[in-house]
Amino acid sequence: MTVLDLVVLLPLAGALALALLPVPDGLARWAWVVLTAADLALVAVLVARYETPPDGGLAFETRLRWIPSAGSSYHVGVDGLSLPLVALTAVVFCACAVYALREERRPRTQAALFLFLQSTCLGLFAAQDLILFFLFFDLSIVGMYFVIAGWGHGGRGRSALVFFLYTFLGSLALLLGFIGLYLGAEPHTFDIPELRAAAPLADSPVAGGLVLGAVLLGLAVKTPTVPFHTWLPPAHTDAPAIGSAVLAGVLLKMGTYGFVRVAVPLLPEAWQDWAWVLITVGVVSALWGALVALAQTDLKRMIAYTSVNHMGYVVLAVGAAGVVSGDTAARELAVTGAVTQMVSHGLVTGALFLLAGVLHDRRGSYAMADYGGLAGPAPRLATLFAAGAFASLGLPAFSGFVAEFQVFTGSIGATPFAAAALPGILLTAALFLRAMRQVFTGPAGERSTGFADLRPRETAAAGGLLLLSLLLGLVPWPLLDLIAPASADLVGLVGR
């Protein structure tokens, strides 16, 4: 058993212990924090010991027999594309555990559920087998369904049901695509490195295009991209703060990670044919997400739509990787920017959702018109929200600037059409400045009087995520050095 296996299985073991043992609520909350902190420490060991494998290989690899008759195994490992997302997962879940230290509604069950959800997320980013990938993909849907239905508010039952049915339908399309890859490979296998070497359906462009279409549909729903994004705003609005932080910070990355782990390396020829579709979808998602966010009066829905905008940048960048007529170095930069954007968005938007959750915890409303002048009674909340807003719009010194600079430099270098998404940055600045003016400045609103500022656990959780965004913005090279070799290897598969 490697350190990676411990990283994946430790939260699951903790979830089983909390679910089966009569642990007092107070102890369960602290057990959750300790387990997520221990898992984060193990991830730090992974990062410290990681060395870039030669020839696109994997580090901390484990492969065990599982379903040999179907060519499927328990196969896990990490590289420069997956290790940053494993680290992001550990950080976001640890922050959520700290944030929930005063949760009164079934804290033991909540802790067990979130630990289970953490294992599914870590397992997906480590999975090197399509069936294992699909297993964790589907289990994450189940876990988040119960998070929204069990600890949400408003129309939580309906939002949870829409989330489950919509994303589960997408997972069925994904499974169909995985079966197509299995049947197109010789010999038949679900192992991702073996499929990459076999280049399935390379000689069948029609079949390859159809299989890629099925894979993209399943991943686009999870990302989500326009027009498959409609489940996202109600799910975020009615989810608890920590549920929204995990959904935006980690679960959405399952879709975009699937692009770089499955779609591009296993179907590079078909990816070239679909590149302009992906670029167009990315541009539309970036602009549409920002425009609709600008029209929102609900703070949490506004932040939810910015996820559509930011994930649009990722789709644009990975689409640009398929434009083989573009500059190779630019395409590699675009992919590096896409993975950096996944990490940055997870940190920043996770923090913003935790901060938005404070409004509902204190006053039961996300409506921006209900507030005003909150900077007076809640200066810590105002300061951290302003930092999160500036980080989200890509202000220099934060990770968002590093990510978006690489995304647009690389994508425009591959195709000038990518510049059409640039107004999304301006729109994002406008919507966050508008929200800050309405909520934190001006005369006090009806729900602002007597508003309690951030408590230590809330400050630590949201502030910790934003501090990491600041550190990555000021010193980005360790993350970029981790991602860049894997990005170059990925781009080298397209048009080889």
Side-chain angles (χ1 to χ4, degrees), residues 364-446:
S365 173
Y366 295 118
M368 290 185 278
D370 290 343
Y371 300 95
L374 271 186
R380 290 191 296 274
L381 174 61
T383 300
L384 287 184
F385 190 89
F390 291 134
S392 185
L393 62 87
L395 195 74
F398 287 99
S399 56
F401 172 77
V402 177
E404 291 175 13
F405 173 77
Q406 292 180 103
V407 164
F408 282 106
T409 302
S411 299
I412 294 171
T415 168
F417 175 69
L422 279 170
I425 298 176
L426 181 63
L427 292 169
T428 303
L431 65 91
F432 272 114
L433 291 174
R434 169 178 167 269
M436 290 169 59
R437 177 181 60 81
Q438 285 190 295
V439 176
F440 296 103
T441 65
E446 61 180 81

Side-chain angles (χ1 to χ4, degrees), residues 10 30 45 134 214 246 255 306 358 398 468 472 481 483:
L10 177 61
W30 281 105
V45 172
F134 179 79
V246 167
T306 64
V358 172
F398 287 99
L468 282 174
L472 290 176
D481 285 352
I483 300 169

Side-chain angles (χ1 to χ4, degrees), residues 90-102:
V91 167
V92 170
F93 274 92
C94 188
C96 289
V98 172
Y99 186 92
L101 270 173
R102 291 185 61 181

Side-chain angles (χ1 to χ4, degrees), residues 68-162:
S69 59
S72 181
S73 62
Y74 171 82
H75 188 185
V76 296
V78 291
D79 59 8
L81 300 176
S82 54
L83 186 54
L85 298 176
V86 169
L88 171 67
T89 301
V91 167
V92 170
F93 274 92
C94 188
C96 289
V98 172
Y99 186 92
L101 270 173
R102 291 185 61 181
E103 177 61 57
E104 298 295 335
R105 296 178 297 170
R106 305 179 303 281
R108 182 169 68 93
T109 305
Q110 183 188 63
L113 181 58
F114 270 83
L115 286 168
F116 164 78
L117 189 57
Q118 182 174 352
S119 270
T120 67
C121 297
L122 292 167
L124 182 137
F125 294 132
Q128 298 298 327
D129 180 275
L130 292 180
I131 297 302
L132 194 63
F133 183 102
F134 179 79
L135 172 68
F136 289 125
F137 191 93
D138 260 14
L139 289 177
S140 72
I141 298 173
V142 174
M144 185 52 63
Y145 168 81
F146 285 109
V147 167
I148 298 172
W151 286 268
H153 39 257
R156 58 183 182 179
R158 181 181 183 278
S159 296
L161 182 62
V162 170

Side-chain angles (χ1 to χ4, degrees), residues 250-395:
V250 181
L251 264 67
L252 300 191
K253 310 307 176 294
M254 293 180 175
T256 49
Y257 173 72
F259 292 146
V260 297
R261 174 57 64 206
V262 178
V264 178
L266 303 191
L267 293 164
E269 291 81 9
W271 187 263
Q272 294 178 46
D273 298 333
W274 280 77
W276 280 103
V277 175
L278 271 295
I279 291 170
T280 304
V281 168
V283 170
V284 171
S285 295
L287 297 178
W288 179 263
L291 283 169
V292 178
L294 187 61
Q296 300 304 307
T297 59
D298 182 292
L299 183 64
K300 214 176 182 199
R301 288 181 72 90
M302 184 202 79
I303 298 171
Y305 276 109
T306 64
S307 291
V308 179
N309 161 262
H310 285 93
M311 292 300 95
Y313 297 151
V314 177
V315 175
L316 168 65
V318 294
V323 183
V324 293
S325 59
D327 181 73
T328 299
R331 292 158 58 212
E332 293 174 5
L333 184 63
V335 175
T336 302
V339 180
T340 307
Q341 175 73 342
M342 294 183 214
V343 175
S344 175
H345 176 267
L347 295 173
V348 175
T349 307
L352 286 171
F353 274 121
L354 293 180
L355 295 172
V358 172
L359 300 182
H360 193 276
D361 289 343
R362 304 286 197 275
R363 293 292 186 265
S365 173
Y366 295 118
M368 290 185 278
D370 290 343
Y371 300 95
L374 271 186
R380 290 191 296 274
L381 174 61
T383 300
L384 287 184
F385 190 89
F390 291 134
S392 185
L393 62 87
L395 195 74

